[in-house]
Amino acid sequence: MNGHSGSIARLMESFARLPGIGRKTASRLAYHVMRMEEAEAMEFAAAIVDARNNLHYCSCCQNLSDEELCPICADDSRDPSMICVVERPRDIPSLEKTREFTGYYHVLHGLISPIDGIGPDQLKIRELVERVSGGEVREVIMATNPTVEGEATALYIARLLRPFEVTVSRLAFGLPVGGDLEYADEVTLTRALEGRREIL
Amino acid sequence: MNGHSGSIARLMESFARLPGIGRKTASRLAYHVMRMEEAEAMEFAAAIVDARNNLHYCSCCQNLSDEELCPICADDSRDPSMICVVERPRDIPSLEKTREFTGYYHVLHGLISPIDGIGPDQLKIRELVERVSGGEVREVIMATNPTVEGEATALYIARLLRPFEVTVSRLAFGLPVGGDLEYADEVTLTRALEGRREIL
């Protein structure tokens, strides 16, 4: 007997299965749900069920979407000559926040990772090639993470797109803004040196 | 447009309303729910609904419980002469983990706090007095937090129980085990000095 009631223990288990939520936090969250307004708790449960039931992929960019086309793909004021390729749906809000990119996106839903048994066929790469083969796209920006898998996937896709008249580019590597040379690892510093630009 | 689909945005909102969950974490958790096994996500939603629907207070100690009597109150191998009074249900598992206390508990569901408009009548104090007036209890341990409200509530209850033949005690104050004198605040140090014990 650990002093938690059965239904609270089960709710704790559910919270503890989420990433970054340890047992202490799971317990705190479960007891918080018990103290919430009834309506708010029910809304929480309904939000989970709704999000899962509405789950499907945008038929164009493969992002999670409530509709057949996601709001970005449905927005025809954007630049159709650019596609920014990301690993996960949640990378798109990060890029949108910059207000720097006005083209469309494509979500791979993973990265090539032989060690995890993930090959190109498990990703939405075929759908990307189809979009590019349409002929309207001029540039594909590979915005996968700066990791081994992210790099390998970017390279793989760049080669795959070679037959098409399209530029494939990669996000720049370098020092994070506000960072400190002292704390930058050698690989990042090497990349920052390689990518140096003339001050005009 | 922030790049999140409507139903994911609503799920993020629900997560972000939980204590200690910021917008970034809420987004990470919402997208995690989208990647979960369907069954696991539905189990999560059901755990919330179940916990809320089963919500009621143990008729004896006022802890949250699925049954009329919570498992601790239903356990007659414990010591009926001791009641440990806590602020919140989640304080009980912390105390149970010590394996030091073998009596029963009483949950106040809050502390007296005039600034928040919480008086003794909003807490489960009447129920505690009733239990003590039964005559079987010899000691009431006030295990409220070492805060102004926790102290005030402990004092209030101690006075209230004076007419009964019962000892009211308070958890000891002092240095946390593994702590460092250098980082202890003066109030804690003062309490540690006041509470000093002879080394036998």
Side-chain angles (χ1 to χ4, degrees):
Chain A
M1 183 187 317
N2 61 9
H4 298 294
S5 88
S7 41
I8 293 179
R10 278 189 297 279
L11 183 54
M12 276 176 55
E13 290 300 324
S14 276
F15 274 119
R17 261 184 237 121
L18 298 173
I21 305 285
R23 303 219 62 85
K24 277 235 161 155
T25 307
S27 153
R28 198 161 44 83
L29 294 177
Y31 280 107
H32 179 83
V33 168
M34 301 311 281
R35 276 202 320 274
M36 272 180 179
E37 293 293 322
E38 174 85 9
E40 200 181 339
M42 292 304 148
E43 205 182 294
F44 185 13
I48 296 172
V49 174
D50 284 356
R52 291 296 305 212
N53 288 346
N54 291 336
L55 167 74
H56 49 252
Y57 297 142
C58 169
S59 60
C60 180
C61 74
Q62 312 297 322
N63 190 9
L64 296 173
S65 173
D66 293 340
E67 315 287 333
E68 162 77 13
L69 267 189
C70 77
I72 292 178
C73 287
D75 176 1
D76 57 13
S77 73
R78 300 181 72 114
D79 179 356
S81 73
M82 310 252 280
I83 291 183
C84 180
V85 177
V86 296
E87 176 190 347
R88 306 161 297 202
R90 64 180 159 111
D91 296 326
I92 294 180
S94 306
L95 287 158
E96 282 293 278
K97 255 187 241 149
T98 66
R99 296 169 182 274
E100 188 61 34
F101 179 72
T102 57
Y104 293 92
Y105 292 94
H106 192 86
V107 183
L108 296 175
H109 291 283
L111 294 173
I112 298 172
S113 173
I115 213 163
D116 301 314
I118 300 173
D121 294 347
Q122 276 119 298
L123 308 179
K124 305 288 186 185
I125 292 179
R126 198 170 43 78
E127 290 81 355
L128 173 64
V129 175
E130 250 166 53
R131 288 177 73 186
V132 171
S133 70
E136 209 177 9
V137 181
R138 291 280 155 266
E139 181 173 357
V140 174
I141 303 174
M142 295 303 311
T144 50
N145 273 336
T147 57
V148 173
E149 290 81 11
E151 285 293 273
T153 307
L155 217 67
Y156 177 89
I157 291 177
R159 284 199 195 130
L160 208 63
L161 296 180
R162 227 171 253 170
F164 304 97
E165 269 183 38
V166 67
T167 308
V168 182
S169 60
R170 182 83 178 101
L171 289 187
F173 289 101
L175 296 172
V177 176
D180 189 318
L181 268 188
E182 198 179 337
Y183 299 118
D185 62 292
E186 305 94 89
V187 183
T188 301
L189 263 183
T190 306
R191 296 298 202 107
L193 279 168
E194 283 170 2
R196 69 188 180 280
R197 289 169 140 208
E198 198 181 348
I199 301 167
L200 298 172
Chain B
M1 183 187 316
N2 60 10
H4 298 292
S5 89
S7 42
I8 293 178
R10 278 190 295 279
L11 183 54
M12 275 176 54
E13 290 302 324
S14 275
F15 274 118
R17 260 184 239 121
L18 298 173
I21 306 283
R23 303 220 61 86
K24 277 233 162 158
T25 306
S27 152
R28 199 161 45 83
L29 294 177
Y31 280 108
H32 179 83
V33 168
M34 300 310 281
R35 277 202 320 275
M36 272 180 180
E37 293 293 323
E38 174 84 11
E40 201 181 338
M42 291 304 147
E43 204 182 295
F44 184 13
I48 296 172
V49 174
D50 284 356
R52 291 297 304 213
N53 287 346
N54 291 335
L55 167 74
H56 49 252
Y57 297 142
C58 168
S59 61
C60 180
C61 74
Q62 312 297 322
N63 190 9
L64 295 172
S65 173
D66 293 340
E67 314 288 334
E68 163 77 14
L69 267 188
C70 77
I72 291 178
C73 287
D75 176 1
D76 57 14
S77 74
R78 300 182 72 114
D79 179 355
S81 73
M82 311 251 279
I83 292 183
C84 180
V85 177
V86 297
E87 175 191 348
R88 306 161 297 202
R90 64 183 160 109
D91 296 327
I92 295 181
S94 306
L95 287 158
E96 283 292 277
K97 256 187 241 147
T98 67
R99 297 168 181 275
E100 188 63 34
F101 179 73
T102 56
Y104 293 93
Y105 292 94
H106 192 87
V107 183
L108 297 175
H109 292 282
L111 294 173
I112 298 172
S113 173
I115 212 163
D116 302 314
I118 300 173
D121 294 346
Q122 276 120 299
L123 308 179
K124 304 289 184 183
I125 293 179
R126 198 171 42 80
E127 290 81 353
L128 174 64
V129 176
E130 252 166 53
R131 288 177 73 184
V132 170
S133 70
E136 207 177 11
V137 181
R138 290 282 155 266
E139 181 173 358
V140 173
I141 304 174
M142 296 303 311
T144 49
N145 273 336
T147 56
V148 174
E149 290 82 11
E151 285 294 274
T153 307
L155 216 68
Y156 177 88
I157 291 176
R159 285 199 197 130
L160 210 62
L161 295 180
R162 227 171 253 171
F164 305 98
E165 268 183 38
V166 68
T167 309
V168 181
S169 59
R170 180 85 177 101
L171 288 187
F173 290 99
L175 295 173
V177 176
D180 188 319
L181 268 187
E182 197 179 338
Y183 300 119
D185 62 292
E186 305 94 271
V187 183
T188 300
L189 264 182
T190 306
R191 296 297 203 108
L193 278 168
E194 284 169 3
R196 68 189 180 279
R197 291 171 139 208
E198 197 181 350
I199 300 168
L200 299 172

